[in-house]
Amino acid sequence: MTADENGLSRDDAEALLGDVFAPWVQDLNLSVEAVTPQSAILRMPFDERLCRVGGMICGQALLTGADTAMVIAICSALGGFKPFTTVDLTVNYMRPIANEDALLTAKIMRKGRSMVFCNTEITGAEGGKLSAFSTGTYAMVG
């Protein structure tokens, strides 16, 4: 990893997607659009396998993407991967994302010594309308 006080590079964040996450999360084919020391934007490509009736991406896939985006943002803030665990993860759905990619914009709200608080806005990549938002609390391990 080539991270420093400026966070992870986009290439390093992409590498984390393949190195840190379970194979079923990797199957979402998430990609890193952008990363800073306090945020990450991931793209979840539209895939019929992730959909319910009417081409709507299911909530489980969106929440997994949101959690993954928050993890990438935290790793960038920490300068690389360090062990931490999810303490709380919530999501509020406002409108469906149908027949388009989803963009997941994660931001760190507060990073303490042992806890990190984040949120993620989930929008349709084409329409740009807010579809859902998620909050997550993560605890450092060790």
Side-chain angles (χ1 to χ4, degrees), residues 25-111:
V25 175
Q26 294 174 18
D27 287 346
L28 294 174
N29 293 316
L30 297 166
S31 62
V32 177
E33 296 278 304
V35 64
T36 73
Q38 296 293 311
S39 67
I41 302 173
L42 302 186
R43 178 180 291 265
M44 179 186 297
F46 179 79
D47 186 327
E48 286 288 337
R49 296 177 314 129
L50 303 177
C51 293
R52 304 177 338 129
V53 175
M56 295 183 295
I57 300 175
C58 70
Q60 296 91 333
L62 293 173
L63 182 57
T64 300
D67 181 48
T68 304
M70 288 186 270
V71 168
I72 296 294
I74 293 167
C75 288
S76 186
L78 296 174
F81 179 76
K82 295 181 176 64
F84 56 91
T85 188
T86 307
V87 174
D88 182 62
L89 186 60
T90 61
V91 65
N92 292 277
Y93 300 101
M94 299 168 15
R95 66 172 42 94
I97 295 177
N99 300 307
E100 66 179 309
D101 294 356
L103 290 180
L104 307 121
T105 303
K107 296 179 183 172
I108 294 178
M109 297 166 27
R110 181 178 185 279
K111 181 175 80 72

